Amino acid sequence: VYKRQELTLLSAYANQAALALRNTLLCDDFTRHLDRLAAFSECTHTLASSLDLEETLRAVLESALSMLDADYAAISMPDREGANLVVKAGLGFTEEFYEEFRQAELATSLTGLAFRKGEIVSSSDLRRDGRCKNREMARRAGTVSALFVPLQARGKSLAALSLYFSRDHPF
């Protein structure tokens, strides 16, 4: 049996521990936020200083992967005929996955949907999403969630950023 003073002291210790835990969590959140800002700053600097398309696309991908904690990402642009989107830069892909993925139909793919509509398209589970034409490939690759973002200038889509996650990621 504990005395009243012991319970009061134990409660005070528990409150101090909870406060220390809360401060640690806040510090972790703050550090993650600073890391994201640093990645964004570096990307912005590269975009402003480079006229090299490959370097620019890679900077965008590195920044997006870092900020959104995605597993792999790609930037696709329309081919000459305008029927397909072709990956111009990618990070994190296996060679096998890249070979199957490197081209998407503009009219039917989720990447194409984001590009055509000029709106962000997300899928919390590609393996079950009826809009995804490559559900079997997503299963084999272990891809669960994805986010497709049109890259626009003056209201016109120029490319599409695709971010893939190997875990459930609510958007």
Side-chain angles (χ1 to χ4, degrees):
V1 174
Y2 293 101
K3 296 178 185 174
R4 183 178 195 97
Q5 295 94 346
E6 292 173 324
L7 291 174
T8 302
L9 184 60
L10 182 60
S11 178
Y13 286 143
N15 287 338
Q16 289 297 318
L19 186 59
L21 178 61
R22 181 175 166 259
N23 287 341
T24 301
L25 293 173
L26 286 173
C27 183
D28 287 348
D29 285 346
F30 183 72
T31 302
R32 272 194 300 277
H33 184 67
L34 283 178
D35 290 344
R36 288 178 179 163
L37 286 175
F40 182 72
S41 175
E42 186 176 323
C43 179
T44 302
H45 175 73
T46 301
L47 293 176
S49 64
S50 176
L51 294 177
D52 181 77
L53 179 62
E54 190 173 309
E55 183 181 348
T56 300
L57 296 179
R58 187 165 194 82
V60 170
L61 289 175
E62 287 172 354
S63 180
L65 283 174
S66 172
M67 284 191 292
L68 298 173
D69 196 27
D71 296 299
Y72 28 95
I75 294 179
S76 302
M77 299 176 79
D79 62 8
R80 292 188 190 273
E81 295 79 31
N84 296 307
L85 289 173
V86 179
V87 173
K88 294 296 184 181
L91 286 177
F93 293 99
T94 64
E95 192 63 36
E96 177 188 353
F97 186 70
Y98 180 76
E99 282 303 313
E100 289 189 50
F101 169 79
R102 67 184 173 154
Q103 186 167 300
E105 289 184 20
L106 190 57
T108 61
S109 67
L110 289 173
T111 310
L113 178 63
F115 182 88
R116 286 189 330 273
K117 288 192 166 198
E119 298 173 359
I120 294 173
V121 173
S122 66
S123 176
S124 58
D125 192 345
L126 287 171
R127 301 162 303 176
R128 292 182 177 86
D129 190 332
R131 300 173 302 165
C132 180
K133 304 302 178 206
N134 297 318
R135 289 187 298 275
E136 184 54 39
M137 182 175 58
R139 281 187 200 97
R140 282 196 322 269
T143 305
V144 178
S145 304
L147 188 65
F148 307 94
V149 182
L151 302 178
Q152 299 180 318
R154 297 187 175 143
K156 182 178 189 239
S157 292
L158 303 175
L161 170 66
S162 304
L163 297 159
Y164 299 92
F165 303 82
S166 60
R167 64 200 173 286
D168 185 36
H169 193 292
F171 298 106

